[in-house]
Amino acid sequence: MFDVRSIVIGIILMLRKYTCINITIYEESSDEDYKNGIMALPLIGLAIGFTAFLIASLEFVYDGFFVSVLVLGFYCIVTKGVNLTDTYRTLNYIIKPKNQSEQIVGIIGTTIVLLLYFSLFRIVPVTSLIIMPVAGYSSLIILSPVIRRNKDITSIMKHCGKYHNIAAFAVSFLLAAVFNYKLVIPLSLTYMISGFVVSYLDKKIKVLPNSVEGLIVEAAQLIFLTISYLIRI
C-alpha cells in the first residue's frame, strides 16, 4: 500500500533539492521518503523542460541569441544552479584530487558547459528541450547500478533500487515518444554513452564525491542535446 504522506514529503524533498521551490517540511524526513520521491525527478524534469520549450518558442518573434539567453537564464534560476555547482566541485576533485583548493579546472569546465548549453539551445529542435531535463534526471537514476563504489555519501543514487531504474526507463522513453518519437534514438544513445563513461570513471576514481550526481545530470543533458543536433532530429 502506498504511503501518500511519504510520497508527498519525498516530492517536496526533490523540489527543494533540485529547484528553487522551497516548501517547508514540519516533519522529520526519512530514507523511505527519499525513495518514494525519487520517481518525481523525471516529472520535475518534464516541467522544467516544457517551460524551457515555451520560452524557446519565442524565437519566432525574437532573435535566437536573445531567446537562448532567456532559456539558459531560466534553467539556471529554476534549478538554483545546483547541478552546475556540483559539476564545478566534481571536476576540481577528479582533476586535482590532492588539492581541492585548486579552482581553475572547475571554472573552465563550468564555463564550457554554459557555452555548450547556449550554443545548443539555438540549434536543436525545441522539442529536445522538453526531454533534456528528463534525460538528465533519469540518467541519475538509471546509472546508479553502474557505479560500484560506495554510494552512501550521495543523496539520491544510494536510494535508487531496481524498480526506480525500470520506471525511469519507461517514463523517459514514453515522454520522448509522446512529444517526438524520433527523440527515442538520442535518448537511447545518451544512456549508452553515459553508462560507458560512468563505468570507466568509476574504475579510475578512488572515492566517489557526493557532488558527482550534478555532473551526471549536466553531462547527460549535454550528450542528449548534442546527439539530437548531430542526427538532425
Side-chain angles (χ1 to χ4, degrees), residues 8-13 15-17 20-29:
V8 172
I9 292 177
I11 293 173
I12 293 174
L13 289 172
L15 288 171
R16 289 180 59 178
K17 178 174 176 60
C20 57
I21 299 175
N22 188 10
I23 302 174
T24 303
I25 301 177
Y26 294 100
E27 297 186 37
E28 186 175 350
S29 58

Side-chain angles (χ1 to χ4, degrees), residues 64-65 68-69 71-73 75-76 84 87 106-124 132 218 221-222 225-226:
F65 178 88
S68 294
V69 171
V71 175
L72 182 58
Y75 174 72
C76 293
L84 288 170
T87 298
I107 293 173
I108 294 175
T110 306
T111 302
I112 292 174
V113 168
L114 291 172
L115 289 175
L116 285 172
Y117 272 132
F118 176 74
S119 300
L120 290 167
F121 284 162
R122 300 181 62 186
I123 58 179
V124 297
M132 179 196 79
E218 297 292 356
Q221 291 179 166
L222 287 173
L225 291 178
T226 302

Side-chain angles (χ1 to χ4, degrees), residues 89-106:
R89 293 172 177 169
T90 307
L91 289 174
N92 280 333
Y93 178 85
I94 294 175
I95 307 300
K96 206 76 173 179
K98 295 181 180 179
N99 182 11
Q100 294 195 39
S101 63
E102 181 65 48
Q103 299 180 356
I104 188 64
V105 174

Side-chain angles (χ1 to χ4, degrees), residues 16-223:
R16 289 180 59 178
K17 178 174 176 60
Y18 287 109
T19 74
C20 57
I21 299 175
N22 188 10
I23 302 174
T24 303
I25 301 177
Y26 294 100
E27 297 186 37
E28 186 175 350
S29 58
S30 63
D31 287 347
E32 195 64 29
D33 297 332
Y34 274 94
K35 292 178 181 178
N36 289 328
I38 286 175
M39 277 320 303
L41 286 178
L43 299 180
I44 291 173
L46 174 63
I48 295 173
F50 189 74
T51 306
F53 162 78
L54 295 178
I55 297 173
S57 299
L58 295 174
E59 190 172 357
F60 292 103
V61 181
Y62 297 102
D63 179 70
F65 178 88
F66 175 69
V67 174
S68 294
V69 171
L70 288 180
V71 175
L72 182 58
F74 162 76
Y75 174 72
C76 293
I77 291 173
V78 77
T79 61
K80 300 183 299 184
V82 171
N83 296 321
L84 288 170
T85 302
D86 280 353
T87 298
Y88 162 80
R89 293 172 177 169
T90 307
L91 289 174
N92 280 333
Y93 178 85
I94 294 175
I95 307 300
K96 206 76 173 179
K98 295 181 180 179
N99 182 11
Q100 294 195 39
S101 63
E102 181 65 48
Q103 299 180 356
I104 188 64
V105 174
I107 293 173
I108 294 175
T110 306
T111 302
I112 292 174
V113 168
L114 291 172
L115 289 175
L116 285 172
Y117 272 132
F118 176 74
S119 300
L120 290 167
F121 284 162
R122 300 181 62 186
I123 58 179
V124 297
V126 289
T127 50
S128 298
L129 299 181
I130 302 177
I131 306 301
M132 179 196 79
V134 178
Y137 291 120
S138 296
S139 293
L140 183 61
I141 300 170
I142 293 169
L143 296 179
S144 59
V146 178
I147 297 178
R148 302 299 181 183
R149 303 284 177 183
N150 187 347
K151 296 188 284 284
D152 288 342
I153 196 171
T154 62
S155 58
I156 301 299
M157 297 176 70
K158 68 178 181 181
H159 296 298
C160 293
K162 186 176 181 179
Y163 65 95
H164 289 114
N165 303 328
I166 296 174
F169 261 117
V171 171
S172 60
F173 279 111
L174 175 62
L175 292 174
V178 168
F179 288 102
N180 185 348
Y181 70 93
K182 293 181 180 179
L183 292 175
V184 170
I185 299 173
L187 189 61
S188 301
L189 293 174
T190 296
Y191 292 152
M192 292 171 61
I193 295 172
S194 299
F196 174 78
V197 174
V198 169
S199 178
Y200 174 78
L201 291 177
D202 183 51
K203 298 175 182 178
K204 300 295 182 180
I205 303 174
K206 294 182 179 180
V207 179
L208 188 71
N210 59 358
S211 58
V212 72
E213 294 179 328
L215 177 61
I216 290 175
V217 173
E218 297 292 356
Q221 291 179 166
L222 287 173
I223 292 172

